[in-house]
Amino acid sequence: AEHTYQAKSEDEVTEWVNGITQSLSKARERFQTHMEFLGQGSTAYKYNYSNSKRMRRHFWIDEEKVELLWAKSRTEEAQSMSLKDCVGIIFGPMTTTFQRCTTLEDPPWCCFSLLFPDRTLDLAVGPTSITAWYLGLQHLLMEKSAACVLAISEAQFVFRTVFHKLRDSAHRQGFTIWTYVVRQLRALSKDPAFREALNKISSGLVPPSKAPASTPSPQVSEDEAKAERKRAKAERKSLKVEGGAAPAAAE
């Protein structure tokens, strides 16, 4: 596709062209770094469909960047899956294999799945390597697999990572994610340092990236958590009485 844009002046044209060029250059550098990392590989956990238990293995991509390999170590005989056969990649513990786990042993934002016509490959990696693994593999799949046509942007990846972290924190305290976020925002609104930083950002005195970090809000009390669970249970019961069946929870 080709898009044509019109700016108000030649100076704006120059700024836009330079900005987009620099952005593309930095994106290529990031993906090159991802490719180098995937070539070296790292430890990951492979979840089994049969029993949802996980195995620790070393994963990497081959030199031609067409196969994903794994073994107990790089020196042992490896199993492999062709990236050309992959039809998609999903961020988070979304597949049946993950959902069958009574207790997920890895953070949700460190999990992802590769989709194949007859199976899924469900993996969990370390928090410091999830970006390289997910975005790097997604980039390769868009090049190697004709069936893989959907991808998320880097911004969407960051959003989903934050979402999983917020939901995990909310559920551990017995809250829905909406209630948890509202409580955190209310706590931040009472934080003098946060309010001062927000005012400076709004007035243009300080860019968002330079704003000081606010003091983390205290954990909600157990009484508040119990009250929230009781309220949510009452809402579900009310919905069941009115509609005949309670809808599945969704966030």
Side-chain angles (χ1 to χ4, degrees):
E2 181 177 326
H3 302 276
T4 302
Y5 299 93
Q6 183 176 356
K8 295 181 180 179
S9 65
E10 291 186 4
D11 290 339
E12 280 195 6
V13 171
T14 301
E15 290 180 2
W16 274 103
V17 171
N18 290 340
I20 293 174
T21 301
Q22 292 176 10
S23 178
L24 292 174
S25 177
K26 290 180 179 179
R28 284 192 291 266
E29 291 177 2
R30 288 195 298 273
F31 280 110
Q32 181 59 35
T33 301
H34 295 339
M35 292 302 102
E36 292 174 359
F37 176 84
L38 296 185
Q40 294 293 325
S42 70
T43 298
Y45 289 95
K46 178 181 176 293
Y47 281 76
N48 294 323
Y49 175 79
S50 59
N51 54 18
S52 294
K53 292 183 178 181
R54 63 177 191 164
M55 299 184 300
R56 182 177 177 176
R57 294 292 184 268
H58 188 87
F59 281 78
W60 72 97
I61 59 172
D62 67 332
E63 293 183 1
E64 288 75 24
K65 298 180 174 59
V66 295
E67 288 188 329
L68 176 65
L69 304 101
W70 66 93
K72 290 184 178 180
S73 69
R74 293 277 304 242
T75 59
E76 297 188 15
E77 183 178 357
Q79 293 180 272
S80 66
M81 294 289 289
S82 174
L83 296 178
K84 294 181 180 179
D85 298 331
C86 186
V87 299
I89 183 171
I90 300 178
F91 182 64
M94 308 300 292
T95 62
T96 302
T97 302
F98 281 121
Q99 296 298 319
R100 291 170 62 185
C101 296
T102 55
T103 302
L104 190 64
E105 298 184 60
D106 298 281
W109 56 92
C110 293
C111 302
F112 66 94
S113 299
L114 295 174
L115 309 181
F116 294 88
D118 58 347
R119 61 170 294 182
T120 62
L121 186 60
D122 305 286
L123 306 174
V125 297
T128 59
S129 60
I130 180 62
T131 301
W133 271 111
Y134 188 86
L135 295 180
L137 282 176
Q138 179 181 254
H139 180 73
L140 285 177
L141 290 174
M142 297 299 291
E143 290 184 343
K144 307 296 183 182
S145 174
C148 189
V149 295
L150 297 177
I152 62 174
S153 66
E154 290 182 85
Q156 290 172 322
F157 172 79
V158 172
F159 173 83
R160 295 187 185 189
T161 300
V162 173
F163 174 82
H164 279 294
K165 290 182 178 182
L166 287 173
R167 184 169 64 176
D168 184 63
S169 296
H171 288 180
R172 281 191 284 105
Q173 298 181 47
F175 290 98
T176 63
I177 187 172
W178 173 252
T179 301
Y180 178 78
V181 170
V182 170
R183 285 177 174 270
Q184 294 298 312
L185 290 175
R186 286 175 178 170
L188 284 173
S189 68
K190 300 176 182 179
D191 187 337
F194 176 80
R195 292 174 64 89
E196 181 181 357
L198 190 62
N199 290 334
K200 289 182 178 180
I201 294 173
S202 301
S203 60
L205 298 177
V206 178
S209 60
K210 301 296 183 180
S214 60
T215 304
S217 59
Q219 297 290 324
V220 294
S221 67
E222 182 63 25
D223 290 341
E224 289 178 316
K226 289 181 179 179
E228 171 63 17
R229 289 194 293 268
K230 185 176 180 180
R231 184 192 64 77
K233 183 178 181 180
E235 287 183 357
R236 290 195 298 271
K237 185 176 180 181
S238 176
L239 288 171
K240 186 174 182 179
V241 171
E242 293 176 2
E251 296 177 347

